[in-house]
Amino acid sequence: MREFTYEAHPARIVFGAGAARTRLADEVGRLGATRLLLVASERDAERVRSLVAPLRDRIAATFTAVREHVPLATAEAARAVAAAVKADGVLSIGGGSTTGAAKAVALTARIPVVAVPTTYSGSEVTPVWGLTVDGRKTTGVDPAVLPRVVVYDPELTASLPRGLAVASGFNALAHGVEAFWAPRRNPVSTAIAEDGIAAIVVGLRKDDPVALLRGAWLTASAFAAAGSGLHHKLCHVLGGTYDLPHARTHAVVLPHVLAFNAPGAPDAVARVARALGVDDPVGGLRELADEMGVPRGLRELGLGEEQIDEVAALTEPAVPEDNPVPVGGGALRRLVRAAWSGEDT
């Protein structure tokens, strides 16, 4: 048997239709926070105002200048607002970029985060933070950034445009698939990941926000326990250095990474196949992506062919040593080229 260590990540999960309207105020009250920094995108201002109306006396300031991949300037601006109002908690309502900005505040201020996700990003249940500094994505793990309370409300994700829901759902799928070969993989994370992948597949095909949100929670929980592998190391470079769109990048890259790692990861192959209900998981995942309108290659997202070598060179040192298939000797470059062109690895 493979030796493993499993570390559970404590968080209070509140899941239910309408929970953001009916439960959020009480959950904030349980934490005792009275000077909240609200982090939310201006694009969702009207809905956010409605959700936080019962908390208006507890919100000391609002930060709306969120950006994908959390540039350092964004983090510093959010931290400055939190310090100016002496915030004792952060309330994040939004997608992964919003959660990321809230985590950046918690990382330095050491104050609790309450997260209300409006996409399937999964960041709300991981202790992982990420910042983009000088064109490079830097990540780390710190229990201080793990939200203390997460309110999952499928009513908030039901209104996502279909294209965004699909990309975000594939991002969630990537968390589950990565958990099968990530450095801290273990029987608990593996079981949770498989269940989560199956729920996401159902959610994507039936356009079911409850199944999608449940699956995203489970796969992100598995990822939090198992850690980050080849897929995420590659996507961090693509997002942080080349500013490719986060969720769509994960969606494009995932089938290619699964195809690359499949020869060395038979258990992952079997579990993905079972979750997809197919014999060939690589083909099944590509078929699902095509069915959902996911772009085939990174060139469709704006990556230039001349950037392939640099992407591979920046990614290779970060790939865990126990990746199921070695990435040296030009193998990683071949993977990146396949993901760029949309061709089979």
Side-chain angles (χ1 to χ4, degrees):
M1 62 168 283
R2 180 182 182 275
E3 183 177 313
F4 69 89
T5 299
Y6 173 68
E7 183 175 354
H9 296 285
R12 179 176 171 86
I13 306 296
V14 178
F15 196 115
R21 291 183 287 102
T22 62
R23 300 285 300 277
L24 181 57
D26 288 344
E27 293 302 323
V28 170
R30 287 183 74 259
L31 285 181
T34 61
R35 298 189 60 77
L36 288 169
L37 171 65
L38 170 63
V39 181
S41 170
E42 191 63 45
R43 293 191 302 272
D44 211 17
E46 184 175 348
R47 180 166 63 174
V48 170
R49 276 195 296 270
S50 174
L51 292 176
V52 303
L55 292 165
R56 62 173 63 90
D57 293 338
R58 292 176 180 261
I59 295 175
T62 301
F63 181 81
T64 61
V66 298
R67 282 190 58 196
E68 270 200 324
H69 311 301
V70 195
L72 180 60
T74 297
E76 290 177 337
R79 290 165 176 169
V81 175
V85 299
K86 297 182 172 57
D88 60 1
V90 187
L91 172 58
S92 166
I93 303 178
S97 301
T98 303
T99 306
K103 285 181 169 185
V105 174
L107 182 64
T108 54
R110 318 306 281 185
I111 55 179
V113 177
V114 176
V116 183
T118 60
T119 68
Y120 307 116
S121 82
S123 177
E124 67 280 349
V125 289
T126 79
V128 179
W129 57 266
L131 295 174
T132 300
V133 183
D134 296 330
R136 297 288 185 270
K137 185 85 172 268
T138 302
T139 62
V141 176
D142 191 313
V145 308
L146 178 69
R148 297 269 287 278
V149 180
V150 182
V151 178
Y152 282 115
D153 184 347
E155 289 184 358
L156 300 182
T157 58
S159 60
L160 278 174
R162 181 61 174 159
L164 179 55
V166 166
S168 191
F170 266 81
N171 181 27
L173 274 179
H175 289 141
V177 174
E178 186 94 296
F180 294 144
W181 56 60
R184 298 192 304 276
R185 60 193 179 276
N186 58 80
V188 178
S189 62
T190 296
I192 292 172
E194 184 175 344
D195 190 19
I197 290 170
I200 293 167
V201 171
V202 169
L204 285 170
R205 288 193 165 132
K206 295 186 175 181
D207 197 13
D208 180 350
V210 175
L212 280 167
L213 200 55
R214 175 180 173 274
W217 163 37
L218 294 176
T219 56
S221 298
F223 174 78
S228 178
L230 168 60
H231 175 89
H232 281 79
K233 299 303 184 184
L234 174 55
C235 288
H236 286 165
V237 169
L238 292 167
T241 304
Y242 304 97
D243 201 29
L244 297 192
H246 179 82
R248 294 178 73 202
T249 298
H250 281 272
V252 170
V253 168
L254 180 60
H256 298 282
V257 173
L258 179 59
F260 180 86
N261 271 347
D267 183 61
V269 167
R271 290 179 181 276
V272 175
R274 198 156 53 229
L276 286 168
V278 297
D279 294 327
D280 172 15
V282 174
L285 193 57
R286 286 192 170 126
E287 183 179 327
L288 179 64
D290 289 342
E291 179 186 338
M292 297 293 144
V294 174
R296 270 290 183 123
L298 292 169
R299 59 182 171 184
E300 296 182 54
L301 303 186
L303 188 73
E305 184 174 13
E306 74 282 358
Q307 296 170 315
I308 291 173
D309 287 347
E310 184 182 38
V311 171
L314 290 173
T315 303
E316 187 170 342
V319 178
E321 292 182 1
D322 67 345
N323 189 67
V325 173
V327 298
L332 185 56
R333 185 189 183 281
R334 290 191 290 274
L335 166 60
V336 176
R337 170 164 281 282
W340 174 81
S341 69
E343 299 168 356
D344 292 345
T345 305

